[in-house]
Amino acid sequence: MKEDRYQLNKQLAQMLKGGVIMDVTTPEQAEIAEQAGACAVMALERIPADIRAAGGVSRMSDPKMIRGIQEAVSIPVMAKCRIGHFAEAQILEAIEIDYIDESEVLSPADDVYHIDKTRFQVPFVCGARDLGEALRRIAEGASMIRTKGEPGTGDIVQAVRHMRAMNGEIRRVQNLRQDELFEAAKQLQVPADLLKLVWEKGRLPVVNFAAGGVATPADAALMMQLGAEGVFVGSGIFKSGNPAKRAAAIVQAVANYQDARLLAELSADLGEAMVGINEEEIALLMAERGK
Amino acid sequence: MNIGILALQGAFVEHGEALEKLGIQHFEIRQQRDLNRPCDGLILPGGESTVMGKLLRELGLFAPLRERIAAGLPVFGTCAGLLLLAKNIDGGGPCLATMDIRAKRNAYGRQLGSFYAEKDFGDLGRVPMTFIRAPYILEVGLGVEVLAEVEGKIVAARQKNQLVTAFHPELGEDLAVHRYFVSMAKGIRLSAGGSAQ
C-alpha cells in the first residue's frame, strides 16, 4: 500500500470522529440508521447478540447483501471479515467497501497471524484491548482502532476496561525518558517507532473509537468522556424496543457527551433497552480472540 | 477575532488546530447557548453532512445559523460543510441552502476514489488538496467566484461571505486556505464597521 493511500485511509477515520457507527443487517435498517444520524454503517448478516445466540462458525457476509446496503445509503459502509482471513478481505475490497473491520466478532480464521493490511488499498479498523494490541494492529496496517469491549452483551464493563487500559498506558509512556522507550517497546511487544509517536503526541497515531457493549446514550457519553473519539453500536440499537429513537438519542449523546441535562432528556422514554448478558454469564469471550 | 467551529461531528478539532497556528481564537458550537459568544466567522467542518444536518435541526441551530449567514457572517465550509451550504444537491436534499451552487455528493465514489492533488487556488498559487469521499460543484450561480478546479471539476468557490472547498485544508500542514478565510472574515468585519453578528 502506498503511503498516500494509508494517509487517506487514516483521514477518512478522522471524518467519522464524533459520530456513531451502527450495525445493520438489511437495507431497511441501514436507512433507519442513516436517518437517525449514523456517520457510517457496519453491514453484517447477524448482529453480535444473534451470533452469540446462534453459535457455530460466523463468517463474512454475503456480498450481495452488502451491495444492497451500499445502494441504500450515502454514508460510508463497513463490513467485517474474520481475523486472518485475507481472502475475505480481498472480496470486500473488490466490492469497494469503505472500511473493513477485521473482527473478533466473527470466528477467527487464523489463530496466529492477522491480515497484512499494508497490502490493501481499502482501510481497516481493528479491535484492541490495550496499547500493545492497538500498536500491533497499526503496525500491520490498521488505519483506525476500536476497543474490543464484549460484543453482543449490552454490558459496557469491558469497553471501559479496554479504553482505560489503552489511555492509562499512553499516559505512562508519555512519562518515560526518550531512552527508555526501547525497553517499553520490548515489553509491550510493539515497534519502537510507533511507540515513539505515542510518546510525542500523547495519543494513538490513528483515530480510536469505543465498541462492544454500548446500549444507551449514557454508555456512549461514558465512553466519550473516557477519551473515545466516536462510538460503534452493534446489537444495542436493533435489539432494543424502539431502534430509530434509541439510535437518534445515542447520536445526540455523542455530540453533546458533556451535557448531563441534555443526556437526561435523551435517556428518557426510549423504550426497552436490549436485555444484555452480564460479563459473568458469558460463555464465549470474543475479546480473547486475536492478540 | 473569534471564529466559531461547528462541533457536532467530524474533523472539527483539526480546524481549531489550523486556526491556532495562525494565532486566531476559536470556540466550538455544539448548542444554541454557544451562539451567545461573539463570533466573527463560522467554520462548517468535514464529516458526514447527513449527521450534521440532522443535529443542526434537532439542537435548534439551523435557523439562527442560517439567519446569520444570510445576514453576512463569514462562513467557510469544507467537504460536508460545502454540502450544508449548497442550495442544490444531486443525490440528497439541501440543508442551510444559502449558497448558489449545485453540488454532487460522493462525486468521486467510495473511499477507493479518495485522492490528493495540488492545484491553483484563486491567486494563492498552488495549494495541496486532500479529497476524502468528496463532493464537487456541478454549477455555480451568478456572483459566485470559482477559486479552484481539478480536472475540470469545481472544487472551491466563494460567494460574498461564503467560502467552500470540496477538499480538506485542515488535514495538511498548508495554512493558505485558512489564511484566506481569516483575511476574508477580517475584510467583511471592517466593511461592516464592527463585529458581524
Side-chain angles (χ1 to χ4, degrees), chain A residues 7-285:
Chain A
Q7 285 301 326
L8 286 165
N9 287 342
K10 285 200 289 186
Q11 288 168 335
L12 173 59
Q14 285 176 265
M15 294 305 136
L16 301 174
K17 282 189 301 178
V20 181
I21 300 169
M22 302 182 193
D23 279 4
V24 297
T25 59
T26 63
E28 293 71 36
Q29 286 187 355
E31 280 166 29
I32 292 173
E34 183 176 46
Q35 281 158 21
C39 68
V41 289
M42 177 77 68
L44 71 175
E45 258 155 28
R46 281 196 296 232
I47 54 176
D50 291 336
I51 291 175
R52 209 171 259 294
V57 175
S58 178
R59 310 178 177 88
M60 176 190 78
S61 298
D62 183 341
K64 185 181 167 194
M65 168 266 179
I66 298 170
R67 279 210 184 95
I69 288 171
Q70 285 175 318
E71 280 157 25
V73 295
S74 71
I75 53 180
V77 177
M78 304 183 167
K80 292 181 193 288
C81 73
R82 286 180 264 176
I83 290 175
H85 206 316
F86 51 84
E88 283 187 349
Q90 289 161 358
I91 291 168
L92 292 174
E93 181 169 63
I95 61 169
E96 295 204 17
I97 202 76
D98 290 303
Y99 241 98
I100 297 176
D101 185 359
E102 186 185 16
S103 177
E104 68 282 1
V105 170
L106 306 182
S107 308
D110 194 319
D111 56 5
V112 179
Y113 299 103
H114 279 73
I115 295 172
D116 176 2
K117 294 166 275 286
T118 63
R119 297 167 72 107
F120 288 79
Q121 300 291 309
V122 293
F124 279 81
V125 54
C126 287
R129 295 178 305 173
D130 51 42
L131 183 60
E133 284 187 12
L135 293 181
R136 282 193 290 280
R137 298 296 85 77
I138 294 167
E140 295 157 0
S143 43
M144 179 176 181
I145 291 293
R146 54 172 175 74
T147 60
K148 284 180 172 172
E150 194 52 34
T153 61
D155 189 353
I156 197 68
V157 64
Q158 307 232 21
V160 167
R161 187 182 298 150
H162 300 163
M163 189 58 77
R164 279 195 185 272
M166 249 185 266
N167 289 333
E169 283 166 337
I170 289 173
R171 285 191 295 273
R172 274 191 290 282
V173 167
Q174 277 186 284
N175 284 328
L176 297 178
R177 274 165 53 105
Q178 187 169 354
D179 62 2
E180 292 167 343
L181 288 175
F182 301 100
E183 174 61 19
K186 191 175 88 184
Q187 283 177 13
L188 284 166
Q189 301 178 49
V190 299
D193 56 337
L194 282 179
L195 195 67
K196 183 151 178 275
L197 280 180
V198 171
W199 178 73
E200 281 167 359
K201 305 264 183 197
R203 47 161 299 143
L204 289 182
V206 303
V207 166
N208 186 16
F209 269 46
V214 177
T216 66
D219 288 346
L222 174 68
M223 295 313 301
M224 292 298 289
Q225 290 187 38
L226 285 173
E229 296 181 280
V231 171
F232 283 85
V233 188
S235 318
I237 290 172
F238 288 100
K239 275 284 160 190
S240 73
N242 188 342
K245 192 169 179 189
R246 182 168 295 267
I250 293 176
V251 168
Q252 278 214 43
V254 169
N256 277 294
Y257 62 91
Q258 285 167 316
D259 184 338
R261 207 177 284 234
L262 181 65
L263 292 171
E265 268 173 52
L266 294 171
S267 304
D269 208 20
L270 286 179
E272 218 166 307
M274 75 177 282
V275 176
I277 324 169
N278 286 312
E279 186 184 32
E280 297 76 25
E281 302 163 355
I282 305 173
L284 170 68
L285 265 176

